[in-house]
Amino acid sequence: MTRAVKSSAKADPWWHDAVIYQVYPRSFQDSNGDGIGDLRGIIERADYFSWLGVDAIWFSPFFTSPMVDFGYDVSNYLDVDPSFGTLADFDEMLAVLHARNIRVILDYVPNHTSDQHPWFAQSRSSRENPKRDWYLWRDPGADGRPPNNWQSLAGGSSWEFDADTRQYYCHTFLKQQCDLNWRNPAVREAMHDVLRFWLERGVDGFRIDAVGCLAKDPALRDDPPNPHFRPGDPPFARNIMVNSANGPDIMGFVGGIRKVLEAYPRDPILIGEVYLKTGEIAPYYGAELTGLHLPTNFNLLWTPWKAAPILEVIGAYEAVLPVGAWPDWVMGNHDQPRIASRLGRAQARIAMLLLLTLRGTPILYYGDELGLEDVAIPPDKLRDPFGTNLPGLNQGRDPERCPMPWDDTPNAGFTTGDPWLPIGGNGPGLSVERQRKDRSSMLSMTRDLLALRRKEPALSRGSWTPLPIEGEALAYLRQHAGSRVGVLLNLEDEHKRLRVAEITTGNVMFSTHERQGRQRIGQDVELAPNEGLIVAL
Ligand code: NOJ
Ligand code: CA
């Protein structure tokens, strides 16, 4: 299967002006009434993606899995889990999306396999098994305790004792998610073959799950204590993960993955999940940009919703980007509380405008275009073990994973059966069907913005320059070739009159609000409460 590796990296790849939409397949559309979204459901909804105007879809995992972590515990990387469909369904889905010019990005989960993966079954069968070294096995520490103090992100120690072979294995997440040993060349080769399998089928790239965990300290040194730990924080926050994650050898492994992709002429994208502050992201682009194309940038999600810290985060990221590296922005995903719950409905519109007008590739989480909020889950319906393992600590991710509300029928058009989680949308009001008919809805606004972004190169690929402004508002310029666009965002629920250098006159191209008869702005720009504007200068 190996081909001559020659870099196909282009100076101006397709994903520079793409908008990526994340689908969590369990919650998008059920086609067979079992209450779980599936690939045929996604095929049924394919027109929605083109109607909305996104360019690529990143699918959370649909591979064979016991579903302890709902697909992030893979037991066969080379097949589709029966709850999601078959490989034939996948091929059809890919064809249907490609026919609409929508690219397909898969979730690649290289740090760990399910404990049900045949590799792990062999590995745990005896210390002499040839696959023993495919995972991270260690003798017990003093008094039979775990080899070190590393904490699992799903609660408890990162080490699980195997009574039969009297060693511990490492799991950064659930004990059913066993960490692979990427230092073993056979593991790398097997995992590269996984990439080739899907690339041969025609996919357009990958998002690497938990890439920062791929290489741990070979000496297994303890993680140091976190001086900022507070009672009520989850137990894994007791330590700073300097030895259990983000080690110096990771980029070698990422470079190997990147080389596999570069053998394919269609410019596959390599995104990697990194949860790092702006200052720490840059190394993941790799020396001479041979690493991730887009290390995910979550910083806007963590920043207090105030002008100064938002500007600081944007400026800091722009400042640390290596020459030629391309930025990206994330406002939500299947692990984070919904943006509309964090900011409220009015500011969720501003957040969407910010996401779609910054320089860089936006990654948009399904349902955020509807302004979905976190759904309160009754205790007997909680599904996520990351939450139920740590009761009372608010770690569960079910609230942001609820099914998409398509219409106002009882199960919202998502399923004819019993949905695996309560439907999102908090009752009628936020459904796709209803919002499509409403020109002022969040969905219509998002669609308009996506169309404008596609039409206006200053927005998709222009430079970004902050403009000085007083108070709780943001102003910046986007410029490309001859076109200049100003963006103004009111971060508060109050009327504002702003005077912004460089935005002295221009035509309103877009507003989060109705703006009849006020299409031209003068030196003083009036912004309604929570209003955002895009102005052609
Ligand atoms: C990050 C994924 O986004 C999350 O959902 C998952 O639980 C962990 N990695 C483990 O795979
Ligand atoms: Ca189904």
Side-chain angles (χ1 to χ4, degrees):
M1 279 242 254
T2 19
R3 303 170 170 195
V5 177
K6 190 169 174 295
S7 174
S8 65
K10 290 192 195 123
D12 193 16
W14 62 268
W15 39 268
H16 273 189
D17 38 27
V19 174
I20 299 172
Y21 183 86
Q22 181 192 354
V23 165
Y24 192 71
R26 282 183 83 82
S27 294
F28 203 66
Q29 177 66 54
D30 176 22
S31 72
N32 61 354
D34 65 358
I36 297 172
D38 46 52
L39 302 189
R40 298 220 67 81
I42 293 163
I43 295 171
E44 283 170 22
R45 294 292 182 188
D47 284 338
Y48 177 71
F49 305 119
S50 8
W51 175 82
L52 183 61
V54 294
D55 306 287
I57 301 175
W58 149 35
F59 292 97
S60 282
F62 47 71
F63 317 107
T64 318
S65 164
M67 299 290 162
V68 186
D69 191 16
F70 299 107
Y72 284 96
D73 48 327
V74 181
S75 56
N76 181 359
Y77 291 99
L78 309 181
D79 206 348
V80 174
D81 191 82
S83 61
F84 290 123
T86 63
L87 271 176
D89 294 332
F90 171 79
D91 290 338
E92 189 178 329
M93 179 181 87
L94 187 74
V96 160
L97 293 172
H98 278 173
R100 287 163 176 74
N101 275 327
I102 294 169
R103 290 184 162 87
V104 171
I105 302 168
L106 301 191
D107 217 313
Y108 178 60
V109 189
N111 177 66
H112 45 269
T113 72
S114 159
D115 61 345
Q116 302 302 307
H117 196 294
W119 298 342
F120 188 71
Q122 290 178 47
S123 185
R124 91 182 312 170
S125 66
S126 90
R127 290 195 190 195
E128 284 71 47
N129 187 280
K131 290 220 167 44
R132 184 66 169 184
D133 183 52
W134 280 40
Y135 293 82
L136 298 169
W137 290 98
R138 287 297 182 281
D139 287 334
D143 308 327
R145 283 199 304 262
N148 65 20
N149 75 347
W150 295 353
Q151 293 292 305
S152 151
L153 294 171
S157 166
S158 287
W159 297 94
E160 180 72 9
F161 189 61
D162 177 62
D164 291 342
T165 57
R166 310 211 57 75
Q167 281 191 317
Y168 283 89
Y169 67 86
C170 182
H171 59 93
T172 304
F173 299 92
L174 295 164
K175 65 176 186 218
Q176 295 91 342
Q177 294 169 299
C178 316
D179 286 15
L180 283 163
N181 176 16
W182 269 72
R183 296 184 196 280
N184 182 323
V187 168
R188 296 201 295 275
E189 202 39 46
M191 288 305 291
H192 289 175
D193 280 344
V194 171
L195 298 164
R196 294 187 188 105
F197 176 87
W198 293 103
L199 285 161
E200 294 291 336
R201 291 193 110 82
V203 305
D204 304 287
F206 299 89
R207 169 265 192 192
I208 310 181
D209 185 67
V211 63
C213 303
L214 280 187
K216 287 104 175 155
D217 176 30
L220 298 190
R221 280 170 294 188
D222 277 355
D223 278 331
N226 173 6
H228 304 295
F229 181 80
R230 296 277 167 276
D233 288 346
F236 55 78
R238 277 180 197 283
N239 294 338
I240 306 179
M241 295 176 68
V242 291
N243 291 319
S244 56
N246 297 315
D249 297 331
I250 292 173
M251 291 317 292
F253 302 150
V254 171
I257 293 171
R258 172 81 177 260
K259 278 217 178 84
V260 174
L261 268 62
E262 288 189 349
Y264 291 80
R266 74 184 82 94
D267 243 349
I269 189 173
L270 191 60
I271 306 172
E273 181 200 30
V274 304
Y275 271 94
L276 292 172
K277 301 209 176 90
T278 41
E280 300 158 337
I281 292 178
Y284 277 92
Y285 287 97
E288 293 171 37
L289 306 185
T290 51
L292 300 171
H293 293 127
L294 301 179
T296 50
N297 169 16
F298 289 97
N299 284 280
L300 282 176
L301 265 171
W302 304 327
T303 304
W305 203 246
K306 294 272 176 206
I310 294 175
L311 267 185
E312 196 188 309
V313 149
I314 304 169
Y317 183 41
E318 287 274 354
V320 298
L321 276 175
V323 175
W326 190 250
D328 69 85
W329 300 96
V330 181
M331 278 285 190
N333 73 11
H334 61 295
D335 298 327
Q336 302 294 326
R338 289 268 184 193
I339 194 78
S341 289
R342 199 186 132 207
L343 302 179
R345 286 194 185 172
Q347 281 298 312
R349 293 169 78 100
I350 295 293
M352 182 64 80
L353 182 48
L354 181 65
L355 177 70
L356 297 180
T357 58
L358 285 175
R359 189 176 84 91
T361 301
I363 306 179
L364 175 59
Y365 184 48
Y366 89 95
D368 281 352
E369 77 275 27
L370 303 175
L372 290 193
E373 294 164 5
D374 292 332
V375 178
I377 315 281
D380 64 315
K381 292 253 158 58
L382 290 172
R383 308 294 295 268
D384 180 18
F386 284 58
T388 50
N389 280 359
L390 297 169
L393 293 181
N394 209 17
Q395 294 298 301
R397 300 162 297 179
D398 298 318
E400 61 262 22
R401 296 178 173 181
C402 288
M404 184 83 167
W406 293 101
D407 58 37
D408 293 337
T409 58
N411 282 332
F414 167 71
T415 182
T416 52
D418 193 13
W420 78 286
L421 278 176
I423 307 282
N426 306 339
L430 294 184
S431 73
V432 171
E433 187 184 44
R434 191 176 285 223
Q435 293 202 43
R436 272 177 93 138
K437 293 183 200 138
D438 176 0
R439 284 295 312 136
S440 66
S441 70
M442 176 84 171
L443 177 61
S444 299
M445 182 200 89
T446 305
R447 182 170 180 253
D448 290 350
L449 259 176
L450 288 167
L452 183 60
R453 200 177 192 281
R454 207 169 322 119
K455 213 170 63 194
E456 180 49 75
L459 286 176
S460 54
R461 48 180 55 198
S463 60
W464 177 87
T465 317
L467 298 173
I469 188 173
E470 296 279 298
E472 285 308 315
L474 298 176
Y476 46 89
L477 277 183
R478 300 292 314 277
Q479 302 185 75
H480 180 78
S483 77
R484 289 171 86 229
V485 164
V487 180
L488 288 154
L489 305 175
N490 184 352
L491 300 179
E492 288 180 320
D493 190 21
E494 55 189 49
H495 176 269
K496 283 195 166 56
R497 166 176 293 202
L498 301 172
R499 184 162 285 203
V500 193
E502 311 247 6
I503 305 186
T504 46
T505 166
N507 287 323
V508 173
M509 303 169 89
F510 175 88
S511 165
T512 49
H513 290 42
E514 299 285 312
R515 267 207 162 232
Q516 271 124 17
R518 292 155 61 208
Q519 294 304 321
R520 192 155 178 84
I521 55 142
Q523 210 174 25
D524 289 319
V525 189
E526 309 277 343
L527 286 183
N530 304 301
E531 185 179 23
L533 277 188
I534 304 178
V535 184
L537 301 171

